[in-house]
Amino acid sequence: MIRFLRWVLMALLAVLTGSLARGAAQPNRVYQVSTAETQLVYTVGEDGRLIFRYYGPRLSNTDQFARWRSYNRPDCNREANYEAYPSFGLGYVNEPALSVVNANGSLITELAFEDYQQHLSEGVMHGVFTLLDQIGSLRVQLHVEAYQEEDVMAQWVTIENQGKGKVSLQRFYSSFLNFRANDYYLTHFYGTWAGEMNCAEERLEPGIKSIESKKGVRTTQSENASFILSLDHPAQENSGRCIGGALAWSGNYKLSFEVDERDYLSLLAGINPFMSAYTLDRGERFETPKFLFTYSADGRGTVSRNFHDWARRYGLHTGTKERPILLNSWEGAYFDFDEQILTNMMDDAAELGVELFVLDDGWFGNKYPRNSATMGLGDWQVNEKKLPRGIQYLIDHATSKGLKFGIWIEPEMVNPKSELAERHPEWIVPSPGREQITMRNQLLLDLTNPDVQEFVWNVVDKLLSTYPDIYYIKWDANRHVEQVGSPYLLPEEQMHFWVDYIRGLYRVYDRIRAKYPDVMLQACASGGGRVDYGSLPYHDEFWTSDNTDALQRVYMQYATNLIYPPVATASHVSASPGHQTGSITPLKFRFDVAMSGRLGLELQPKDIPAEEMAFAREAIANYKTHIRELVTKGDLYRLISPYECTNNHAANMLVRKDKSKAVLFAYCTGFNRRGIRPTVHLHGLDASKRYRITEINKTGKRKAFWGEGHIYDGAYLRQVGIELQIARQYDSAVFLLEEVK
Ligand code: DGJ
């Protein structure tokens, strides 16, 4: 009886003190990190947890978050699911951003807020939340960068082992974000070799949708580490709430979208935890890559323009520099060339107005001559039979024609039939006791090994120091990781391979950029296998795809430019019939498509029919005079999506920042029956300005717009639009819009 009374008394006391404590609850501390237009808000309550509260348009006052109380589920009285950096531990039910095995074997991590610091420097607000596990030994710093003008945010973490023993990181995402809407629509990118960056949009249902790569290298060939998330309804171009995201990492990644039982959407972005447990010794720190994201209250158009602005300023090497028009030798000559063939190509290229000649694969190897993809990779000496007078002879010839010179390399890989493989079998990613699986007849070098890093650096350094006039390097990577492993790493470190490979690669790139800041680098990995914001700060551009078919490119470049800027999107005019699709396409269509990105040629110039040479020359001249500036620095407005148009049209426009000039590209992707013509509303123009419309790249007298040559109000062009006379598959038109004062 006494025990029962004591129990009742205790229970009463507990209820009383509980409600007293609730009544006297301290307000949350509120922290916010903002760009010009957007804001992230976090709070710290009495339990010391840092909670993610809000990402959206910038609020004039965030004080109200101090009063925030959540209605939690009865079986979960913490808000652990929506912590700013949720860790696996008590009270956790959703996918965590961090999970570890502590030195004592405990699987629990509970991070409590310690401190927040922020400073503003050169347009970037950098906030750092310090979080501590009081019982475990981890100190986690959550970094948030807010790029003021571009409205882009970046998040990443550093994880430090402050304990005495080893800690094993099982998952270590860069970022966690949380959203509440009635519906979630995810636009993501998928494909394969010669068909990268297709665009798909899907409604997210309860459960987890993941976008990931486990390929180690060429990680963007099948899915890209980027997305657009639209809240409430499918993404629109000019309206609706959208979030764009992209991970700045060239290795395995995972983006996970979890719609939970409360209909909240949690997003995790970072390195893929797949077979990647990473051990931290005492005192060691692990830094994750940056996750970049941007918010738009007016559709995906703003998402793209924010990313493009950010990339040009921070995320792409020489982001605002105009790129030369190039002729790449690959589809014009493949492996079958000699000096004469190359110098003839240069002569013809110069005639056309091309500015840079790039010598692709096949120029190296003597014991194992690189006359096909079967041998020689790794032997970076000039093939004396094909090029008896060496590279300098080619450079001199190019220079004499007013062309710059570029060259292809693939320094991360090796053919088993090569002197390199004979000399350094210990540098090759092995599969001890098993059959070695080649891909395109090649194997991967172990870039976790500093000696291999030194070798790769030397390939580049030797080329650039021997031939200081090399202006451009195309960096290829034609296989991914299958039989993972490193003879260099210790047995217990084998799972570090994925992360350490990319860190090794970046170390080499850092050295290259420190010594050769002015050399142009193209990121190529069998085409678009390395299109990510981790590699782009080292590169001036990427090879969008080995598929150069102009119609395919309308789709691919549309999707690519949702996230990555046109100035970096290498886009080449190739032969007809196309080498990948066999399609027969007009030269005009091929030029009109290629000119919406970084223009190049990928053919044997002699194959351009004589009667079309004048058109090719004129198109190249138009690009130089009018379009290149807009591709480099302009704002992209997508006017008709090839994916969404119920007829067979596509159109987009590049607009000068001050809106005084624009170029409109319009394409027919299929046959349109009689009477179906695209009406294009020229969003992006200034309604209060007046514009003269001039058609360029014309092949005859026929006008694609009857009002061509006349002056129109910006408001008219936006609201009424213009109807284009393009109807058959491969019809296309390019218009300049120039302000008339
Ligand atoms: C794959 C690239 O994407 C092509 O452009 C070409 O460089 C070949 N490799 C050369 O082997």
Side-chain angles (χ1 to χ4, degrees):
M1 183 64 184
I2 292 182
R3 275 172 77 183
F4 176 71
L5 280 176
R6 202 165 60 202
W7 182 85
V8 171
L9 204 67
M10 296 269 288
L12 269 172
L13 249 171
V15 170
L16 214 64
T17 46
S19 58
L20 276 179
R22 271 197 295 280
Q26 294 296 308
N28 299 314
R29 278 169 285 166
V30 179
Y31 298 93
Q32 54 91 12
V33 191
S34 307
T35 66
E37 301 288 340
T38 67
Q39 194 164 46
L40 277 165
V41 180
Y42 300 91
T43 62
V44 179
E46 280 171 289
D47 60 2
R49 301 286 182 121
L50 179 67
I51 307 294
F52 174 94
R53 290 292 178 204
Y54 171 76
Y55 178 44
R58 188 172 179 155
L59 306 167
S60 53
N61 179 0
T62 54
D63 291 351
Q64 292 118 86
F65 286 96
R67 292 199 294 270
W68 190 301
R69 292 283 171 272
S70 291
Y71 298 100
N72 292 311
R73 287 184 6 235
D75 61 338
C76 178
N77 61 6
R78 294 175 192 238
E79 292 180 285
N81 287 339
Y82 312 130
E83 276 183 73
Y85 193 64
S87 57
F88 179 78
L90 294 176
Y92 200 83
V93 288
N94 284 10
E95 284 284 299
L98 176 72
S99 66
V100 309
V101 181
N102 286 293
N104 64 0
S106 161
L107 304 181
I108 295 171
T109 305
E110 284 194 283
L111 296 174
F113 174 85
E114 261 308 290
D115 176 37
Y116 177 68
Q117 303 284 335
Q118 72 174 33
H119 72 277
L120 180 67
S121 166
E122 296 180 15
V124 187
M125 178 70 79
H126 184 176
V128 186
F129 295 95
T130 302
L131 309 168
L132 275 186
D133 185 352
Q134 305 289 357
I135 295 175
S137 57
L138 289 188
R139 180 174 187 261
V140 173
Q141 291 199 302
L142 172 65
H143 296 257
V144 184
E145 273 178 347
Y147 294 86
Q148 301 298 293
E149 280 179 35
E150 296 78 14
D151 286 321
V152 169
M153 302 270 190
Q155 267 194 8
W156 73 101
V157 295
T158 54
I159 305 164
E160 191 180 334
N161 176 7
Q162 295 193 323
K164 295 204 169 68
K166 287 180 193 239
V167 168
S168 171
L169 305 180
Q170 304 292 305
R171 51 171 69 209
F172 32 85
Y173 283 96
S174 298
S175 177
F176 167 87
L177 296 174
N178 184 259
F179 302 97
R180 182 76 176 99
N182 294 325
D183 268 315
Y184 307 99
Y185 288 86
L186 179 68
T187 301
H188 58 103
F189 309 101
Y190 70 95
T192 183
W193 174 77
E196 302 87 338
M197 285 303 268
N198 293 279
C199 189
E201 183 172 47
E202 63 190 86
R203 181 166 181 249
L204 294 177
E205 303 292 345
I208 298 177
K209 161 85 189 175
S210 294
I211 292 169
E212 61 182 310
S213 173
K214 304 188 200 80
K215 290 187 164 175
V217 177
R218 282 202 317 196
T219 52
T220 64
Q221 193 176 67
S222 5
E223 298 191 58
N224 195 275
S226 63
F227 65 89
I228 291 178
L229 176 71
S230 179
L231 304 183
D232 294 327
H233 47 66
Q236 313 267 321
E237 194 57 32
N238 300 311
S239 65
R241 300 187 289 153
C242 285
I243 295 93
L247 187 73
W249 181 245
S250 308
N252 290 351
Y253 64 81
K254 187 160 181 166
L255 308 169
S256 139
F257 301 82
E258 179 170 11
V259 179
D260 65 20
E261 67 260 50
R262 297 169 70 195
D263 271 352
Y264 280 64
L265 172 71
S266 292
L267 159 64
L268 289 173
I271 291 176
N272 197 332
F274 170 76
M275 300 284 278
S276 294
Y278 208 98
T279 309
L280 287 189
D281 276 330
R282 73 191 270 198
E284 264 187 346
R285 240 165 57 115
F286 187 96
E287 182 161 334
T288 71
K290 288 183 183 179
F291 172 62
L292 307 157
F293 52 102
T294 186
Y295 180 93
S296 162
D298 52 10
R300 65 188 167 206
T302 300
V303 164
S304 307
R305 289 186 288 277
N306 288 352
F307 270 137
H308 298 174
D309 284 343
W310 179 86
R312 285 186 287 226
R313 190 153 168 194
Y314 302 102
L316 172 68
H317 192 251
T318 65
T320 53
K321 193 172 162 190
E322 292 191 359
R323 274 60 172 151
I325 299 167
L326 65 82
L327 169 66
N328 186 48
S329 70
W330 184 240
E331 286 193 28
Y334 293 106
F335 292 105
D336 307 323
F337 56 80
D338 56 19
E339 277 177 355
Q340 189 70 53
I341 289 175
L342 296 179
T343 52
N344 285 348
M345 283 175 97
M346 291 183 206
D347 296 349
D348 295 337
E351 274 284 296
L352 284 165
V354 166
E355 299 157 317
L356 162 69
F357 177 80
V358 181
L359 171 56
D360 208 287
D361 199 351
W363 59 266
F364 49 88
N366 285 304
K367 181 175 173 193
Y368 298 105
R370 180 77 171 172
N371 294 326
S372 71
T374 56
M375 63 175 83
L377 191 61
D379 301 346
W380 300 105
Q381 323 90 27
V382 182
N383 180 308
E384 286 159 10
K385 211 160 162 206
K386 275 179 174 170
L387 304 173
R389 281 173 283 189
I391 297 292
Q392 192 57 49
Y393 170 76
L394 297 176
I395 295 177
D396 290 343
H397 189 86
T399 312
S400 74
K401 294 286 164 182
L403 296 171
K404 296 174 173 31
F405 185 84
I407 200 160
W408 177 98
I409 54 170
E410 189 180 1
E412 297 161 68
M413 317 261 167
V414 62
N415 282 136
K417 252 181 154 183
S418 67
E419 291 183 75
L420 179 64
E422 288 168 355
R423 259 197 333 272
H424 287 293
E426 78 285 7
W427 284 359
I428 297 174
V429 171
S431 62
R434 295 170 205 278
E435 189 198 342
Q436 196 94 346
I437 299 175
T438 54
M439 189 179 300
R440 206 189 188 217
N441 315 298
Q442 62 197 59
L443 298 168
L444 188 69
L445 295 178
D446 175 13
L447 261 171
T448 69
N449 182 342
D451 290 344
V452 176
Q453 293 166 24
E454 190 65 24
F455 167 79
V456 174
W457 152 251
N458 275 318
V459 171
V460 179
D461 188 39
K462 196 158 165 243
L463 263 179
L464 293 178
S465 54
T466 313
Y467 310 108
D469 288 328
I470 289 182
Y471 184 83
Y472 175 105
I473 285 184
K474 172 173 176 175
W475 184 306
D476 209 344
N478 283 299
R479 70 160 294 160
H480 55 258
V481 185
E482 272 191 45
Q483 291 158 311
V484 68
S486 161
Y488 171 75
L489 295 173
L490 297 172
E492 64 272 22
E493 292 172 338
Q494 289 297 310
M495 284 208 216
H496 293 195
F497 178 84
W498 308 99
V499 168
D500 287 356
Y501 182 97
I502 299 300
R503 285 181 174 168
L505 178 70
Y506 287 171
R507 226 166 269 142
V508 176
Y509 275 129
D510 282 331
R511 282 177 84 178
I512 295 170
R513 275 311 177 202
K515 187 163 173 192
Y516 301 106
D518 297 331
V519 171
M520 268 187 87
L521 283 187
Q522 183 191 72
C524 171
S526 316
R530 200 174 261 165
V531 181
D532 63 71
Y533 279 125
S535 76
L536 283 185
Y538 301 111
H539 294 92
D540 303 73
E541 61 177 37
F542 50 82
W543 182 221
T544 316
S545 175
D546 270 357
N547 190 341
T548 52
D549 179 277
L551 180 59
Q552 303 289 314
R553 283 298 189 106
V554 169
Y555 292 85
M556 265 189 253
Q557 291 178 198
Y558 172 92
T560 302
N561 294 151
L562 280 166
I563 306 291
Y564 304 98
V567 63
T569 307
S571 175
H572 294 180
V573 175
S574 60
S576 176
H579 291 193
Q580 297 79 28
T581 59
S583 301
I584 296 172
T585 45
L587 188 65
K588 172 175 165 56
F589 185 73
R590 284 176 271 148
F591 262 101
D592 287 358
V593 172
M595 284 165 80
S596 65
R598 196 283 282 127
L599 175 65
L601 273 64
E602 184 86 27
L603 42 62
Q604 167 56 266
K606 292 234 179 307
D607 291 344
I608 300 178
E611 64 279 12
E612 292 194 302
M613 284 300 270
F615 170 81
R617 261 195 299 274
E618 188 191 311
I620 287 172
N622 281 336
Y623 188 80
K624 289 179 188 166
T625 319
H626 296 294
I627 298 177
R628 175 157 52 187
E629 169 220 338
L630 300 169
V631 166
T632 310
K633 295 186 190 151
D635 280 332
L636 175 65
Y637 287 84
R638 287 176 294 266
L639 308 175
I640 302 178
S641 158
Y643 286 92
E644 289 161 15
C645 184
T646 45
N647 301 313
N648 296 307
H649 304 128
N652 57 53
M653 193 165 67
L654 290 159
V655 185
R656 208 184 250 168
K657 288 271 175 204
D658 67 5
K659 312 258 187 213
S660 62
K661 188 171 180 179
V663 58
L664 164 67
F665 299 95
Y667 312 110
C668 275
T669 53
F671 170 71
N672 288 281
R673 70 179 186 276
R674 204 164 172 192
I676 301 293
R677 301 284 180 271
T679 294
V680 188
H681 295 265
L682 304 185
H683 303 292
L685 295 182
D686 184 337
S688 64
K689 288 192 189 324
R690 305 176 72 225
Y691 296 91
R692 183 187 304 283
I693 303 186
T694 315
E695 186 173 357
I696 58 170
N697 285 8
K698 282 170 76 170
T699 46
K701 290 217 166 55
R702 196 163 168 270
K703 291 180 171 187
F705 170 51
W706 43 262
E708 194 260 346
H710 294 282
I711 296 168
Y712 288 83
D713 289 349
Y716 174 95
L717 294 171
R718 288 171 61 116
Q719 301 307 330
V720 182
I722 59 176
E723 193 190 61
L724 302 180
Q725 301 300 306
I726 53 173
R728 285 170 309 179
Q729 189 175 36
Y730 307 131
D731 276 357
S732 59
V734 182
F735 296 95
L736 290 178
L737 294 116
E738 289 166 296
E739 182 183 3
V740 179
K741 298 227 177 176

